[in-house]
Amino acid sequence: AQTVTQSQPEMSVQEAETVTLSCTYDTSESDYYLFWYKQPPSRQMILVIRQEAYKQQNATENRFSVNFQKAAKSFSLKISDSQLGDAAMYFCAYRRALYNTDKLIFGTGTRLQVFP
Amino acid sequence: EAGVAQSPRYKIIEKRQSVAFWCNPISGHATLYWYQQILGQGPKLLIQFQNNGVVDDSQLPKDRFSAERLKGVDSTLKIQPAKLEDSAVYLCASSLIRGRRKNGYTFGSGTRLTVV
């Protein structure tokens, strides 16, 4: 069975600084997707960034980038130039690539605090 | 496009009572998911529908939970009778069957259930 592990329950960063959130996963599949979702107090899950396992190049979205290490099954999120609005719960998630509608498997989350 | 609508936003009930949650997915999204998010954990899939058929309900406690998706659009999730451990946020999400959209999933804002 696939599992996703986030070992940092809480992280904090100063505004304008950089922070990295860690995620490891376990799967026997060779083709899959990895995601980072942000969950603010409004509770809605918002997609931050997505990585396709067959792509070696790390995904980037503006201030957000990932370090995808397939062999190590590691998928960390780097937030550069942190802003107060980045404060939220962040969840790492995995999905098989077999079907576009396959379920997401989530980690336990990391609470990110941003200090001015 | 309009998002995934869920109601109610909050619900407090006593144990052994029944409760129902409602979800209206994005128009045209054939796949609908119900996730349970217990405090301090990541969301866990309860049930997945494709149109009005069940694809995966392996994690649904069928002795007390039921769900239906009439006409392949709206869905309701019911708990009867509720237990204290059912206190959680219930998230609904929908996605397209086909396509390579960057964000295949869209989540609603969830219903926070408290069982006392």
Side-chain angles (χ1 to χ4, degrees):
Chain A
Q2 297 90 3
T3 58
V4 177
T5 302
Q6 293 179 253
S7 58
Q8 305 157 316
E10 287 192 11
M11 293 285 285
S12 61
V13 64
Q14 206 89 27
E15 201 175 3
E17 297 296 308
T18 297
V19 64
T20 299
L21 308 184
S22 301
C23 172
T24 58
Y25 60 95
D26 190 25
T27 183
S28 57
E29 305 278 343
S30 59
D31 195 12
Y32 50 87
Y33 296 102
L34 295 166
F35 307 84
W36 279 99
Y37 278 88
K38 172 184 178 181
Q39 188 179 41
S42 67
R43 300 198 300 256
Q44 186 175 20
M45 287 285 191
I46 301 166
L47 180 67
V48 174
I49 199 165
R50 175 180 110 155
Q51 175 78 40
E52 298 174 67
Y54 68 88
K55 290 186 176 178
Q56 292 190 342
Q57 186 174 6
N58 290 323
T60 61
E61 283 289 339
N62 301 314
R63 298 184 294 107
F64 300 88
S65 61
V66 298
N67 183 3
F68 173 48
Q69 302 289 326
K70 191 172 184 179
K73 295 181 179 173
S74 169
F75 182 61
S76 61
L77 174 70
K78 185 171 83 172
I79 306 174
S80 304
D81 186 26
S82 297
Q83 300 175 359
L84 295 177
D86 295 333
M89 284 292 294
Y90 285 82
F91 290 92
C92 179
Y94 163 99
R95 178 171 71 78
R96 290 188 312 174
L98 188 60
Y99 302 107
N100 278 341
T101 54
D102 244 348
K103 67 182 179 185
L104 290 167
I105 298 172
F106 289 89
T108 52
T110 297
R111 181 175 301 281
L112 178 65
Q113 293 181 304
V114 182
F115 295 103
Chain B
E1 62 183 2
V4 175
Q6 288 190 248
S7 67
R9 187 144 174 81
Y10 301 92
K11 190 73 177 178
I12 301 174
I13 62 172
E14 295 183 350
K15 59 183 179 183
R16 292 187 290 273
Q17 285 188 325
S18 63
V19 64
F21 313 126
W22 174 81
C23 173
N24 182 244
I26 289 177
S27 178
H29 280 198
T31 308
L32 185 147
Y33 315 79
W34 283 102
Y35 284 83
Q36 180 192 56
Q37 185 178 12
I38 294 173
L39 185 65
Q41 300 181 18
K44 179 187 77 174
L45 181 73
L46 288 176
I47 188 167
Q48 176 181 345
F49 292 94
Q50 190 107 315
N51 296 306
N52 59 352
V54 175
V55 174
D56 183 352
D57 64 355
S58 56
Q59 299 298 305
L60 187 74
K62 298 180 186 64
D63 58 334
R64 297 182 301 104
F65 285 65
S66 64
E68 60 182 7
R69 190 182 183 195
L70 299 176
K71 300 180 181 179
V73 183
D74 292 10
S75 177
T76 56
L77 176 69
K78 296 179 182 177
I79 308 175
Q80 182 179 15
K83 292 186 176 182
L84 295 177
E85 59 260 36
D86 298 332
S87 294
V89 172
Y90 291 85
L91 292 165
C92 180
S94 68
S95 70
L96 293 168
I97 293 178
R98 300 180 186 84
R100 302 290 294 180
R101 282 181 55 173
K102 191 172 187 179
N103 182 9
Y105 272 63
T106 303
F107 284 86
S109 294
T111 297
R112 181 180 295 280
L113 173 68
T114 302
V115 183
V116 297

